[in-house]
């Protein structure tokens, strides 16, 4: 393989090899290089390879291709489409086309804007964007720009196409009930399965259905009303709705935070109640142990009461105890008789005057 030449160019230009045997011997190297380029670089465009396939190209049957023959070249599989808004359904179809045979080379044809607008309708992505989207799909080995709407024998011969891969549903267009009818009759058609639930039309339907949502979204992201083709009134309406949504989001955040706070308070209160119950049980147990019928406090109180009674009631002296002898030199001490003191009556003026009169009568008698 010469410098600056792609694996496709090496395969196409048979004159670059001195003999066909060298082509077979270098087949594995070509396959490995092609795989590496597919994974690390975009797929090349067919019109940039600057060569046409000059190698002998024998017609294959599907049975032969599935057996892995021929050994000197990969099976060339062609898949075409619009590939607008490239999605997983497109990728899965190309994956099926790439893995139909043990050794295959996948060419993908993409129709131009003129053909698409003429036969199918307006696209979201222009042709350059659609070409680039296909180049970066890992299953694609080569992209053919401005692919024909209906495949002609000249086109199939030019690109040495062995088989055409597409879903088996009849595709009516350009005045034909099925534009792949002649391919099917020639035994070159290999069906693939459509991916349910995803298509370009489905994606556009979602956008149209939720147009207001996406218009508001892009206004919020800085797009102008002119860029979105939105009227002045609708612009104000969308901006007002955006403000309302922001307020709702703030309220929602406050509610969530409030719920979190309440949950934390409930958890803490539950813990406090549980701790209080444990402490109250401990307190009641200690109280009963101390002040219960057989508690330590009762025993201590009885012991102290016995000590106090013992201290207040001294022991009696024995009857036959010897009397103390008195000294003869000393006279017995006089004994004093203590009479109970009669309390004086309360003072009153009448009693005072009566006592004064009695004293005056006594004085007169003495005289």
């Amino acid at each position: 393989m010469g410098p600056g030449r792609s694996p496709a160019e090496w395969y196409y230009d048979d004159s670059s090899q001195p003999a066909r045997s060298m082509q077979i011997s270098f087949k594995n190297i070509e396959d490995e290089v092609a795989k590496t380029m597919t994974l690390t670089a975009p797929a090349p465009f067919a019109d940039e390879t600057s060569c046409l396939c000059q190698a002998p190209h024998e017609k294959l049957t599907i049975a032969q291709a599935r057996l892995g023959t021929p050994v000197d070249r990969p099976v060339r599989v062609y898949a075409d489409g619009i590939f607008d808004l490239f999605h997983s359904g497109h990728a899965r179809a190309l994956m099926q086309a790439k893995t139909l045979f043990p050794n295959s080379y996948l060419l993908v044809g993409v129709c131009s804007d003129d053909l698409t607008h003429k036969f199918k309708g307006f696209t979201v992505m222009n042709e350059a964007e659609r070409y680039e989207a296909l180049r970066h799909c890992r299953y694609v080995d080569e992209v053919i720009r401005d692919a024909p709407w209906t495949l002609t024998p000249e086109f199939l011969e030019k690109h040495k196409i062995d088989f055409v891969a597409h879903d088996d549903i009849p595709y009516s267009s350009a005045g034909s009930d099925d534009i792949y009818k002649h391919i099917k009759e020639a035994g070159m058609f290999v069906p693939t399965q459509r991916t349910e639930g995803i298509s370009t039309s489905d994606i556009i339907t979602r956008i149209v259905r939720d147009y207001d949502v996406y218009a508001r979204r892009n206004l919020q992201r800085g797009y102008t009303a002119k860029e979105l083709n939105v009227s002045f009134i609708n612009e104000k309406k969308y901006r007002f709705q955006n403000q309302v949504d922001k307020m709702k989001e703030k309220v929602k955040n406050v509610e969530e935070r409030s719920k979190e706070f309440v949950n934390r308070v409930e958890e803490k209160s539950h813990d406090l109640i549980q701790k209080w119950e444990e402490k109250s049980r401990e307190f009641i147990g200690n109280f009963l142990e101390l002040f219960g019928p057989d508690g330590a406090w009762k025993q201590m109180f009885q012991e102290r009461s016995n000590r106090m009674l013992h201290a207040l009631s001294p022991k009696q002296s024995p009857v036959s105890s010897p009397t103390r002898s008195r000294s003869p030199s000393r006279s017995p001490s006089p004994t004093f008789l203590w009479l109970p003191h009669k309390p004086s009556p309360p003072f009153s003026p009448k009693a005072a005057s009566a006592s004064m009169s009695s004293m005056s009568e006594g004085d007169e008698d003495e005289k």
Side-chain angles (χ1 to χ4, degrees):
M1 184 162 55
R5 297 169 65 83
S6 68
E9 291 173 338
W10 180 85
Y11 168 69
Y12 286 150
D13 192 359
D14 188 55
S15 62
S16 64
Q17 302 299 330
R20 183 177 175 81
S21 59
M22 292 184 66
Q23 208 176 29
I24 299 173
S25 64
F26 286 103
K27 174 182 176 296
N28 293 333
I29 298 176
E30 178 192 5
D31 292 342
E32 292 299 323
V33 174
K35 290 178 181 178
T36 303
M37 288 189 64
T38 301
L39 295 176
T40 59
F45 290 118
D47 53 358
E48 290 180 352
T49 55
S50 302
C51 63
L52 295 176
C53 183
Q54 299 176 2
H57 192 87
E58 299 177 355
K59 184 174 177 61
L60 297 175
T61 64
I62 295 177
Q64 289 175 333
R66 286 176 177 168
L67 290 175
T69 55
V71 295
D72 60 338
R73 66 174 181 85
V75 178
R76 295 174 66 80
V77 180
Y78 176 79
D80 60 358
I82 309 303
F83 301 105
D84 190 21
L85 297 176
F86 189 82
H87 51 74
S88 61
H90 295 141
R92 288 178 64 86
L94 297 176
M95 179 187 68
Q96 294 177 60
K98 175 68 175 177
T99 57
L100 285 171
F101 307 109
N103 183 22
S104 61
Y105 186 85
L106 181 60
L107 301 93
V108 179
V110 184
C111 300
S112 65
D113 287 344
D114 292 337
L115 280 177
T116 305
H117 298 167
K118 179 180 179 181
F119 292 111
K120 191 169 184 178
F122 192 75
T123 58
V124 178
M125 301 168 65
N126 59 41
E127 59 185 30
E129 294 169 337
R130 293 185 284 116
Y131 297 154
E132 285 298 318
L134 265 298
R135 291 186 68 196
H136 292 82
C137 178
R138 63 181 301 178
Y139 310 113
V140 178
D141 296 307
E142 187 176 317
V143 176
I144 301 175
R145 293 182 283 196
D146 193 13
W149 197 261
T150 302
L151 301 178
T152 61
E154 294 77 15
F155 179 83
L156 298 174
E157 178 63 26
K158 175 183 176 180
H159 296 282
K160 300 302 180 183
I161 296 171
D162 293 310
F163 300 101
V164 177
H166 200 273
D167 63 81
D168 201 15
I169 301 173
Y171 196 91
S172 59
S173 180
S176 174
D177 294 335
D178 187 2
I179 61 175
Y180 297 104
K181 182 179 180 180
H182 63 291
I183 303 295
K184 294 176 181 178
E185 292 174 350
M188 298 177 62
F189 186 85
V190 184
T192 58
Q193 299 295 323
R194 293 179 63 90
T195 301
E196 296 297 331
I198 183 69
S199 68
T200 302
S201 298
D202 291 339
I203 296 174
I204 295 175
T205 300
R206 296 179 202 171
I207 297 173
V208 172
R209 181 187 60 200
D210 299 326
Y211 168 78
D212 290 351
V213 175
Y214 295 114
R216 289 166 51 192
R217 169 183 177 272
N218 283 5
L219 279 174
Q220 195 172 5
R221 292 194 172 191
Y223 288 87
T224 63
K226 185 178 180 180
E227 290 173 328
L228 297 174
N229 196 23
V230 173
S231 65
F232 177 80
I233 295 176
N234 285 336
E235 178 191 5
K236 298 304 179 184
K237 182 183 74 172
Y238 293 151
R239 294 192 184 280
F240 176 75
Q241 289 174 343
N242 287 336
Q243 294 296 327
V244 172
D245 289 345
K246 287 182 180 179
M247 291 299 298
K248 288 181 179 178
E249 188 67 23
K250 289 182 180 179
V251 172
K252 184 179 179 180
N253 292 335
V254 171
E255 289 179 352
E256 290 178 354
R257 291 177 183 176
S258 302
K259 288 180 180 178
E260 292 178 359
F261 176 76
V262 170
N263 291 332
R264 288 199 299 267
V265 170
E266 288 180 353
E267 291 176 358
K268 289 184 179 180
S269 61
H270 181 71
D271 294 339
L272 290 173
I273 291 172
Q274 188 174 2
K275 290 180 180 179
W276 183 83
E277 289 178 351
E278 293 175 357
K279 292 293 182 181
S280 62
R281 292 192 190 98
E282 183 180 356
F283 175 77
I284 293 172
N286 294 336
F287 182 84
L288 293 176
E289 184 179 356
L290 187 63
F291 298 102
D294 299 327
W297 176 259
K298 182 178 180 181
Q299 296 177 1
M300 183 176 64
F301 180 77
Q302 289 179 351
E303 291 178 359
R304 290 187 177 182
S305 299
N306 293 335
R307 290 179 184 175
M308 291 179 65
L309 291 174
H310 183 71
L312 292 175
S313 57
K315 296 181 179 180
Q316 296 180 357
S317 59
V319 179
S320 60
S321 61
T323 59
R324 186 175 178 181
S325 61
R326 298 179 180 178
S327 174
S329 60
R330 292 184 180 179
S331 60
S333 58
T335 58
F336 297 93
L337 180 62
W338 293 94
L339 297 176
H341 179 69
K342 185 178 181 181
S344 59
F347 176 78
S348 64
K350 291 182 180 181
S353 61
S355 61
M356 289 295 292
S357 61
S358 62
M359 287 177 65
S360 60
E361 288 178 357
D363 290 342
E364 289 178 356
D365 292 339
E366 290 179 356
K367 290 178 179 181

